[in-house]
Amino acid sequence: MATLESLTWLNRFLDDTPGDSEFGGASRQVPHACWSRVHPSPAPHPELILWSQEMAHMLNLERGQAETLAGGTPVPGMDPYAQRYGGHQFGNWAGQLGDGRAITLGEVETETGVVELQLKGAGKTPYSRFADGKAVLRSSIREFLCSEAMHHLGVPTTRALSLVSTGEQILRDMMYDGNRAYEQGAVVCRVAPSFLRFGSFQIHSSTGDVETLQTLVKHAIQHHFPTHSSDDDDGLVRWLNQIAQDTALMVSHWMRVGFVHGVMNTDNMSLHGLTIDYGPYGWLEDYNPGWTPNTTDNSTRRYRYGQQPQIAAWNLARLLEAMVPLMDEPERLHEVLTAYTDCFDMHHNRMWAEKLGLDTFAKQDEELVRTLNSLLQEVETDMTLFFRLLCSLQSPDISALRFAFYDESTIPEQAWNEWLSSWWTRIAGQPNREVMLQANPKYVLRNWMAQLAIDAAEKGDFSVCESLHELLLNPYDEQPEQEEEWFQKRPEWARHRVGCSMLSCSS
Ligand code: AMP
Ligand code: MG
């Protein structure tokens, strides 16, 4: 096992792409650059709180070094920088955004490939705009636990190595309502092949900087999509098709497990089809496709659960627009959107086949799924409990699924029994239970579960964080000793509680 000093550090992104001539400095526009070198801000009292054994093992890294992982002096080999990117936020072009509070330490060579290590919350960069570059404990816990849980749920995601509390007090207006309060600071070290986003490309084409755009595309393809090329339209379309397919797969997994990202701005869309930037995300409990946990999005609910597949397509279209200057025949980019739709439909159909234990998804199953979707919305029904209990149903009778309903006296029993009978007939009484159990997790990071972990952690007790981290390493396993605590509907106290049903972008 090695220390951070003895890892093999690379700086391929800095070597390949143009950057800022200034080191650090005030918030500003940085034209023609892909990055700015920065100094992370050291924490006054760094303390290691959470650690991913798996990530450490992948890096061959021994536990510790909280100081460096909270923004202290970089070790030799690290060349910290903040990435420049732009983005469409809530449908509008927002111009330059960039890593306002993320600082990449460098890239590390591992046995399974090169990964980037990035600190979130280690201080200001030229992209911090009016904010402080810091992160609070509550949002850092949410990022650490959820990204690790997503990985074990089989959802493509960035990972987390560590969570360090900084010992600093940070002022936040949690619900943007004028009630500011001090909160504890923290830094997550997150890990991904790269943190390139759709917006990383958009920023250059939006300013007509085709040369930088081309350089960045070349870099991305060479290191992250080595079987592709940017030599001609064919190559570019094939590469973008890959991104479309990766994105479609990611979103279909979100739909499968009931995850709502909450802020699908184009700066939060990973080039690798990874779930990235865990902010005001949430998990469906009551199966309501119109739900979003993000109160900042209350008026239009643009990023609601049921609209995520369409939003991903919209975001992809913005990436494609950014590629127009590199194409001889830009109209060919339409092929990529078609590829996204076809690919999503394929994954979506397979998802339903797996969730319902069908051998394959046939045309006539569309009706079965449509009816199921509307029944699930008739009265408050818990998505995770419903599908998990369905896996072990022995006869087409809704009474065995009562536990999934929030008010058992309101269950539309006859309609449910009719649906269950048609499903039972479809599968000839023999659902593929093995497949169902792998498609319908028993445990997800429900909003109130994360909140319980946060409430305890804010008082210095990290045991709930540890328990949830552990529980969610095996979300498809029965873990009967955990049922009473975590295989549960949302408790009443969480219905209107900030942090459970209501979250903002403040973090
Ligand atoms: P997000 O909504 O987290 O994707 O952030 C949108 C933009 O705001 C990105 O450019 C972030 O880096 C930036 N940002 C968010 N929070 C902070 C903060 N506390 N300090 C500086 N920049 C921030
Ligand atoms: Mg972001």
Side-chain angles (χ1 to χ4, degrees):
M1 287 291 220
T3 58
L4 286 168
E5 288 80 352
S6 49
L7 298 182
T8 306
W9 291 94
L10 307 172
N11 299 291
R12 304 179 309 182
F13 185 61
L14 299 186
D15 294 340
D16 288 357
T17 64
D20 190 357
S21 53
E22 208 179 311
F23 203 127
S27 287
R28 64 205 141 81
Q29 293 295 309
V30 190
H32 306 300
C34 293
W35 45 264
S36 299
R37 283 197 168 87
V38 292
H39 298 285
S41 307
H45 298 292
E47 225 175 289
L48 185 59
I49 302 291
L50 294 171
W51 182 256
S52 162
Q53 207 57 53
E54 282 181 0
M55 278 292 93
H57 190 255
M58 193 264 273
L59 293 162
N60 191 30
L61 185 66
E62 64 188 47
R63 187 185 168 105
Q65 298 186 276
E67 211 171 307
T68 313
L69 292 173
T73 313
V75 305
M78 291 177 179
D79 195 352
Y81 68 88
Q83 195 198 145
R84 175 171 178 255
Y85 50 82
H88 277 86
Q89 296 186 317
F90 298 96
N92 304 306
W93 177 243
Q96 177 184 296
L97 298 165
D99 288 333
R101 56 152 166 197
I103 297 179
T104 290
L105 295 174
E107 296 162 83
V108 174
E109 204 164 345
T110 75
E111 271 177 19
T112 48
V114 176
V115 290
E116 188 174 327
L117 262 58
Q118 185 178 76
L119 302 184
K120 189 166 173 184
K124 281 189 185 168
T125 78
Y127 310 100
S128 298
R129 295 177 290 161
F130 305 107
D132 59 5
K134 302 287 169 71
V136 295
L137 184 61
R138 85 184 129 80
S139 67
S140 305
I141 288 173
R142 284 171 52 84
E143 168 132 18
F144 184 101
L145 289 181
C146 197
S147 63
E148 287 304 279
M150 290 284 265
H151 171 75
H152 292 99
L153 283 161
V155 186
T157 178
T158 62
R159 303 288 303 269
L161 168 69
S162 58
L163 187 159
V164 180
S165 65
T166 60
E168 195 171 21
Q169 294 293 310
I170 296 173
L171 201 54
R172 284 287 182 275
D173 182 351
M174 192 174 13
M175 293 313 294
Y176 299 131
D177 58 4
N179 287 315
R180 296 199 301 170
Y182 279 102
E183 296 188 50
Q184 301 171 51
V187 174
V188 167
C189 178
R190 55 186 188 175
V191 184
S194 92
F195 290 91
L196 288 169
R197 298 128 193 279
F198 289 5
S200 309
F201 299 85
Q202 287 183 281
I203 187 70
H204 306 300
S205 61
S206 78
T207 53
D209 186 353
V210 180
E211 199 183 329
T212 306
L213 175 67
Q214 195 141 36
T215 307
L216 183 61
V217 167
K218 263 205 163 125
H219 163 85
I221 291 180
Q222 185 189 343
H223 296 297
H224 302 297
F225 299 85
T227 60
H228 289 266
S229 99
S230 59
D231 292 347
D232 52 20
D233 281 8
D234 273 341
L236 284 167
V237 167
R238 273 200 303 117
W239 171 56
L240 292 162
N241 270 334
Q242 183 65 54
I243 295 166
Q245 288 167 18
D246 296 345
T247 304
L249 179 64
M250 170 188 78
V251 176
S252 74
H253 279 295
W254 291 359
M255 303 310 283
R256 175 175 64 82
V257 297
F259 177 79
V260 189
H261 182 283
V263 208
M264 291 178 74
N265 293 333
T266 59
D267 51 302
N268 290 339
M269 294 294 292
S270 150
L271 192 69
H272 307 283
L274 301 174
T275 314
I276 192 174
D277 280 10
Y278 290 85
Y281 66 81
W283 296 82
L284 279 197
E285 296 190 294
D286 169 30
Y287 188 83
N288 172 7
W291 184 70
T292 172
N294 185 0
T295 52
T296 315
D297 192 19
N298 254 349
S299 54
T300 61
R301 285 177 294 112
R302 179 181 174 85
Y303 298 140
R304 59 189 180 268
Y305 172 76
Q307 198 161 37
Q308 295 184 118
Q310 286 74 31
I311 290 291
W314 191 91
N315 289 342
L316 188 64
R318 305 290 80 74
L319 175 68
L320 300 177
E321 276 167 9
M323 297 299 164
V324 166
L326 304 183
M327 299 280 296
D328 293 325
E329 291 176 71
E331 55 278 13
R332 289 198 53 197
L333 292 167
H334 287 292
E335 292 170 34
V336 183
L337 272 186
T338 311
Y340 171 83
T341 310
D342 292 348
C343 189
F344 180 78
D345 287 348
M346 187 225 357
H347 289 308
H348 197 63
N349 289 345
R350 197 190 54 204
M351 172 195 94
W352 279 114
E354 290 175 1
K355 284 185 92 65
L356 297 177
L358 317 176
D359 42 6
T360 57
F361 192 89
K363 187 82 189 145
Q364 61 267 32
D365 295 326
E366 284 174 12
E367 180 59 29
L368 192 71
V369 169
R370 233 192 329 270
T371 316
L372 171 63
N373 264 281
S374 64
L375 266 178
L376 281 168
Q377 293 171 62
E378 203 132 304
V379 298
E380 210 173 5
T381 313
D382 192 274
M383 178 182 181
T384 304
L385 295 184
F386 178 87
F387 283 103
R388 188 68 185 191
L389 293 171
L390 193 68
C391 300
S392 46
L393 204 68
Q394 295 302 319
S395 66
D397 179 355
I398 194 65
S399 49
L401 302 174
R402 299 187 81 82
F403 185 52
F405 293 86
Y406 280 79
D407 178 353
E408 293 188 15
S409 70
T410 62
I411 302 173
E413 297 199 10
Q414 194 188 335
W416 268 119
N417 284 337
E418 277 165 24
W419 183 85
L420 287 171
S421 293
S422 54
W423 172 61
W424 205 249
T425 307
R426 165 70 178 84
I427 53 175
Q430 293 185 315
N432 189 335
R433 297 190 199 272
E434 232 165 275
V435 167
M436 285 178 84
L437 286 166
Q438 291 307 307
N440 299 308
K442 181 159 181 181
Y443 304 100
V444 296
L445 185 65
R446 292 166 181 272
N447 315 304
W448 54 271
M449 290 165 65
Q451 192 56 44
L452 287 175
I454 291 165
D455 289 344
E458 286 181 341
K459 296 188 193 110
D461 170 8
F462 297 100
S463 62
V464 188
C465 288
E466 292 285 5
S467 305
L468 290 179
H469 184 196
E470 177 91 18
L471 173 80
L472 295 165
L473 292 176
N474 299 295
Y476 299 98
D477 288 1
E478 290 300 333
Q479 306 191 61
E481 68 290 355
Q482 303 288 344
E483 263 174 24
E484 200 176 321
E485 204 166 1
W486 305 123
F487 188 61
Q488 295 293 348
K489 295 184 275 272
R490 179 202 55 231
E492 261 321 287
W493 63 259
R495 186 182 284 273
H496 300 297
R497 166 99 197 258
V498 170
C500 298
S501 54
M502 290 181 282
L503 290 142
S504 78
C505 291
S506 168
S507 54

